[in-house]
Amino acid sequence: MDKIAQISNQFIEENTHFPKLINEIQKAFSSKKTIAPLRHHHDFPNPTTGADTTLLLMPAWNPSEDAGVKIVTISPENVQFDLPSIQGTYIYLDATKGTIKAILEAKELTAKRTAATSALASSFLSRTEASSLLMIGTGALSINLIKAHASVRPIREVFIWGRNFEKAKALSKTLQNEKYTVTPVQTIEEKIKEVAIISCATLSKRPLVLGKHLKPGQHIDLVGAYKKDMREADNETVTKSSVFLDTYQGGLKESGDIVIPLQEGIIQESDMKADLFELCAATKKGRTSKEEITLFKSVGHAIEDLAAANYYYKKYTNA
């Protein structure tokens, strides 16, 4: 049996070129080769922290080529253990023999592929001249989202807001040598009206992006709110926007950002403009005017993981 590659978070961090990773994910969505059943989503009690832990199982395969499954836990109260909320492993397989080709640490794999997917959506949905970004959230995804968005748009100004202002300041310092300026802000309201792109990656249960603050031409990237009782944007944001999903399969069922307004009759499933399969295959259009407000809701998909695992495996083996 061939030796199983062990691909660490550090390797993934040091070997990510967002334009190339975005291209790999775009090819995966535009192709009809990859099969990905609806992911398993299970919440189980965590009495120690007082908040449920979520277990996600995300399989995908290209027949006779490659396959894989990601096992992820999301524990919102991991901050008390000084740990990221997302923990996991990706098992990358030979789809012909069923053997394991690699085991990848899923923390950075998930962060990179999620950020790359948001940037892929932005390439269809934000204005081509978009030069400013408000990052809402200071978790593990925030730096990756900033870098990924800046790889597809000419970002010159970034503003960061988090519940802990000190974390926002620390994040800004980490990015001080990038090609754009990075400024921590005390409130969302002070910059949300000014920026071209708003990216939100939090575990919030109440809306942080409010429609009353939005202006024509903005693009909203919602990455958090992975459960039905979580929301990052209010109803006014959704009704003001042209709404796009990573997939109909997950986007219509898993996140409160879409599920709650659907249940309340604020929007209908037919109001969804397109998903990434349609955008990448050019069967539906993204942004259609400079004044349009676009909203992309990401819940994550196994196709993204498999494309990313293949990307890093080839890097690791110099294939």
Side-chain angles (χ1 to χ4, degrees):
M1 181 182 288
D2 293 335
K3 185 176 180 181
I4 298 172
Q6 303 284 334
I7 303 178
S8 67
N9 284 324
Q10 182 178 350
F11 179 88
I12 292 169
E13 175 65 38
E14 294 173 351
N15 289 274
T16 298
H17 182 263
F18 272 116
K20 290 181 180 178
L21 179 57
I22 291 165
N23 184 59
E24 290 301 312
I25 292 174
Q26 181 170 0
K27 286 193 295 185
F29 273 106
S30 61
S31 168
K32 295 183 179 179
K33 291 169 55 180
T34 306
I35 300 167
L38 184 65
R39 70 185 182 186
H40 288 245
H41 184 140
H42 305 283
D43 298 323
F44 60 86
N46 192 335
T48 299
T49 64
D52 285 358
T53 290
T54 297
L55 171 67
L56 302 174
L57 304 175
M58 303 173 68
W61 55 87
N62 288 314
S64 295
E65 291 186 22
D66 58 0
V69 60
K70 188 168 73 174
I71 305 167
V72 170
T73 56
I74 306 173
S75 303
E77 298 301 318
N78 264 8
V79 64
Q80 64 186 274
F81 307 115
D82 196 28
L83 289 171
S85 58
I86 299 174
Q87 302 286 324
T89 297
Y90 194 87
I91 303 172
Y92 184 55
L93 305 165
D94 182 310
T96 301
K97 305 172 194 171
T99 54
I100 299 175
K101 296 167 73 172
I103 296 175
L104 298 89
E105 292 189 65
K107 175 178 172 287
E108 286 301 324
L109 176 80
T110 301
K112 304 303 185 196
R113 67 78 152 149
T114 301
T117 300
S118 282
L120 172 60
S122 181
S123 71
F124 294 106
L125 303 177
S126 65
R127 292 169 62 160
T128 56
E129 71 275 20
S131 62
S132 54
L133 168 72
L134 171 62
M135 184 69 239
I136 300 174
T138 56
L141 272 172
S142 53
I143 285 181
N144 291 292
L145 284 162
I146 291 167
K147 289 182 177 181
H149 277 292
S151 76
V152 298
R153 290 294 183 253
I155 302 295
R156 295 193 298 271
E157 292 181 298
V158 175
F159 304 96
I160 303 175
W161 176 88
R163 297 186 192 280
N164 184 328
F165 186 61
E166 292 304 313
K167 286 187 70 175
K169 288 199 295 185
L171 200 60
S172 299
K173 188 172 290 187
T174 301
L175 293 166
Q176 63 185 350
N177 294 324
E178 297 296 331
K179 61 184 178 181
Y180 35 81
T181 63
V182 185
T183 307
V185 295
Q186 295 274 13
T187 66
I188 293 171
E189 291 75 14
E190 65 192 84
K191 287 298 176 183
I192 193 170
K193 295 179 182 179
E194 302 176 14
V195 297
I197 299 173
I198 302 155
S199 184
C200 194
T202 72
L203 299 175
S204 183
K205 290 195 173 185
R206 64 174 182 83
L208 299 170
V209 179
L210 306 181
K212 66 182 181 181
H213 297 311
L214 300 181
K215 67 175 185 180
Q218 288 181 307
H219 172 59
I220 303 150
D221 171 41
L222 301 180
V223 182
Y226 62 92
K227 293 169 69 174
K228 294 177 183 178
D229 63 345
M230 292 179 169
R231 293 197 74 172
E232 293 186 309
D234 66 356
N235 285 344
E236 187 175 349
T237 297
V238 175
T239 56
K240 276 187 171 182
S241 304
S242 297
V243 179
F244 298 81
L245 308 172
D246 52 359
T247 69
Y248 294 116
Q249 184 186 50
L252 292 171
K253 297 176 181 178
E254 295 193 23
S255 170
D257 281 318
I258 303 300
V259 170
I260 292 172
L262 280 172
Q263 291 175 339
E264 293 177 352
I266 303 297
I267 56 172
Q268 307 297 320
E269 289 189 13
S270 58
D271 293 325
M272 306 297 109
K273 297 296 184 180
D275 70 0
L276 274 180
F277 289 104
E278 294 166 327
L279 291 174
C280 292
T283 59
K284 288 190 179 179
K285 292 183 178 181
R287 173 175 289 273
T288 57
S289 74
K290 287 196 171 185
E291 293 72 34
E292 184 180 17
I293 297 173
T294 55
L295 184 155
F296 175 67
K297 178 58 205 171
S298 170
V299 297
H301 195 273
I303 281 179
E304 301 160 22
D305 295 305
L306 184 58
N310 179 53
Y311 169 80
Y312 291 113
Y313 181 75
K314 286 180 176 178
K315 287 255 186 184
Y316 191 85
T317 58
N318 295 312

